[in-house]
Amino acid sequence: MTTTSAPGTAHSLPAFNINGTNPRAIEDEYEAALKAVRIAEQLLVAATCHGRDFQTLPPTAFEQARDQRMQMLKHLCEVHDYIEAWYWHAVDAQ
């Protein structure tokens, strides 16, 4: 079974069976990972990225830093979606 988390993005999800990992174990592991990613997202959003810290650099330096920060938040969001897909897949299997 696969779950689509974003347009055009499908995650490969396990087919739980008697010989494989217990869905409850997957649920617990991915729940912990999801909590950690949520904390990372919140900490990055709260971390300073202000134009005043780039005033002695070329004018485009702050814009570049801000764009990089948004890209990193996007990557975290993708990781969040991936982990959440595994988590809910395990929950649904029980």
Side-chain angles (χ1 to χ4, degrees):
M1 176 180 176
T2 59
T3 301
T4 302
S5 61
T9 303
H11 300 293
S12 294
L13 301 173
F16 295 111
N17 63 77
I18 196 164
N19 294 320
T21 305
N22 185 310
R24 180 61 192 205
I26 298 286
E27 177 186 345
D28 292 344
E29 293 167 0
Y30 281 79
E31 180 179 27
L34 193 54
K35 287 178 184 178
V37 168
R38 286 177 177 157
I39 290 169
E41 290 170 329
Q42 292 169 355
L43 290 173
L44 183 55
V45 167
T48 300
C49 183
H50 198 281
R52 68 176 168 256
D53 299 320
F54 294 83
Q55 28 186 324
T56 60
L57 299 173
T60 59
F62 173 62
E63 291 174 22
Q64 183 178 2
R66 189 179 57 216
D67 290 347
Q68 289 171 348
R69 175 192 181 95
M70 292 305 297
Q71 188 66 29
M72 294 304 112
L73 284 167
K74 180 181 174 191
H75 290 312
L76 274 176
C77 185
E78 291 169 2
V79 171
H80 182 136
D81 289 347
Y82 169 80
I83 293 169
E84 197 169 61
W86 273 72
Y87 172 80
W88 286 112
H89 182 63
V91 168
D92 291 344
Q94 296 179 51

